[in-house]
Amino acid sequence: MSPDEEIFDVVIVGAGLSGIGAACHLAARCPAKTYAILETRQAIGGTWDLFRYPGIRSDSDMHTLGYAFAPWRARESIADGPSIRAYVRQAARDHDIERHIRFGHRLRRARWSSEAACWTLEVDVAQADPAAPPRAATLRARMLSMCSGYYRYDRGHAPQFEGMADFRGPIVHPQFWPEELEHAGRRVAVIGSGATAVTLVPALAQTAALVTMIQRSPTWVASLPAVDRIAVWLRRLLPDALAYRLVRAKNVLVQRWIYRQTREHPERVRAHLLAEVRKQLGPDYDVEKHFTPRYDPWDQRLCLVPDADLFVAIREGRASVATDRIARFVPSGIELESGQRIEADIVVSATGLELEVLGGAEFEVDGRKVDFAETLTYKGMMYSDVPNLVQTFGYINASWTLRADLTAEWVCRVLETMDRRGARRATPRLRPEDRAMPTRPWIDGFTPGYMQRAMHLFPKQGDREPWLNTQDYARDRKMLRRGPIEDGVLVLD
């Protein structure tokens, strides 16, 4: 059989944190299943290999961002990008995953045939010569597991401003950080106030002359220790695996408690966060202007700064914040609408991601093109009337991998159930009583711009289970680990 005719029980798309985790679960629980991983790039790691900007790190603790099956052993709980990349690669080696990865393979189109009960995958394969056009290849998969994340790798969100062509220095997007860029001793302006910006500013400020964070409006920022002292203490007393499970459970409970407080008592959380910022920056700093958002905590993601590094940089005069709209670029920097001019040698546009659905691939079911915006999400993982297709999408209010692990476990349960039943298809079908239910966005009540710009492309959710994307780990854990596979909605045939 030629490579173009290969058929696999499962094809996983993406060799990042989610894809490697999905393969590890599959190899451990369903060892008889054949599988391949398609990875567009030439390396394992996904986000953690793509992003190379200064200071790149997690904005969740690694005891929950790490895999349930692979203890995080480093001292720092808030880890840098290279450490996370090494962790993912080690998991792949430990579970013999690497030999299943097809690097330079980009899924372009997936066509489902009910008659054959499989997906035909049209793939672009990169050539050894980067200038050569990709080679077309075809694979087949009985189950398709999409672990390609939710944003475009080839393009970030980059708004245009008047006068950008006049600026004398480089304008850089963090997603495509040039290795040769030298910022030491230079003035840097960082546009944005999200997780990437608050990571970049203190990292650049270690050697830059001055770093100015230009934000249209403030973001909620909280400081946590980079080292979890309880984790360090437990590792001295207990085996690594047990200590990891205990710290993971503790941190899940803490995350849930904090998020619940933001929903039930937002005014208390606001007061606490602002008090902590004032404690860091002192009574004379204008916290109201620069660190008091118009929205409640967790209406957008709460930005984490380890060991208060952002506040330390501001306090020491190595970084500053300008809260205003940009009027235009000028040759020597950026002019704000207030008339203030930010002198800069380098501008970093930390203005966010550009989202896409399922890696931008096209999908067809029995010759009919699938418009995912017209579908309903099933348990936040599958799509109404689309067979044998599962997407991994983590939490926006907790660590991504918590849900990635649950999704991978659930896929194994589905495969086991299908084998017992002799079924070839698993398809979510609307019940008669579901057809008229009201719908709402797939991610509801979460307002950052990068989400709002793309939610119309994603599936909808309903007002009842299992047509919900709950973003609730405790609820998902019960449903996905112990709930029935055959629930009257997921049809196995």
Side-chain angles (χ1 to χ4, degrees), residues 73 102 214 219 240 305 352 368 461 468:
R73 293 183 170 90
R102 311 287 179 94
I214 302 173
T219 298
D240 278 355
V305 292
R368 174 183 56 85
Q461 60 174 316
L468 298 176

Side-chain angles (χ1 to χ4, degrees), residues 97-133:
I97 303 300
E98 292 171 300
R99 62 190 177 93
H100 296 273
I101 303 174
R102 311 287 179 94
F103 292 109
H105 282 54
R106 180 182 182 274
L107 177 63
R108 179 167 45 85
R109 179 181 298 135
R111 295 181 287 109
W112 171 263
S113 165
S114 292
E115 182 180 1
C118 74
W119 290 97
T120 297
L121 309 179
E122 299 175 15
V123 180
D124 288 336
V125 182
Q127 304 279 29
D129 178 2

Side-chain angles (χ1 to χ4, degrees), residues 165-180:
D166 300 327
F167 179 60
R168 288 195 293 258
I171 301 173
V172 179
H173 194 287
Q175 194 165 327
F176 310 102
W177 194 271
E179 289 185 15
E180 70 280 3

Side-chain angles (χ1 to χ4, degrees), residues 318-397:
R318 296 180 284 114
S320 65
V321 180
T323 304
D324 200 349
R325 289 181 175 270
I326 294 173
R328 63 188 58 82
F329 277 58
V330 294
S332 62
I334 293 174
E335 187 176 300
L336 306 179
E337 288 187 354
S338 63
Q340 180 184 0
R341 181 168 292 188
I342 306 298
E343 300 295 329
D345 305 302
I346 300 169
V347 171
V348 180
S349 182
T351 45
L353 307 169
E354 186 169 312
L355 272 57
E356 65 180 0
V357 180
L358 296 177
E362 297 178 10
F363 287 79
E364 294 179 6
V365 173
D366 294 327
R368 174 183 56 85
K369 185 176 180 179
V370 178
D371 180 355
F372 289 102
E374 298 298 321
T375 67
L376 281 167
T377 184
Y378 173 80
K379 297 185 177 180
M381 298 182 299
M382 296 185 77
Y383 304 89
S384 55
D385 297 325
V386 181
N388 294 28
L389 174 66
V390 178
Q391 178 188 18
T392 297
F393 194 99
Y395 294 114
I396 50 90
N397 56 10

Side-chain angles (χ1 to χ4, degrees), residues 14 40 84 227 278 325 390 397 451 484:
T40 301
I84 301 171
V227 175
R278 291 190 179 98
R325 289 181 175 270
V390 178
N397 56 10
M451 282 284 182

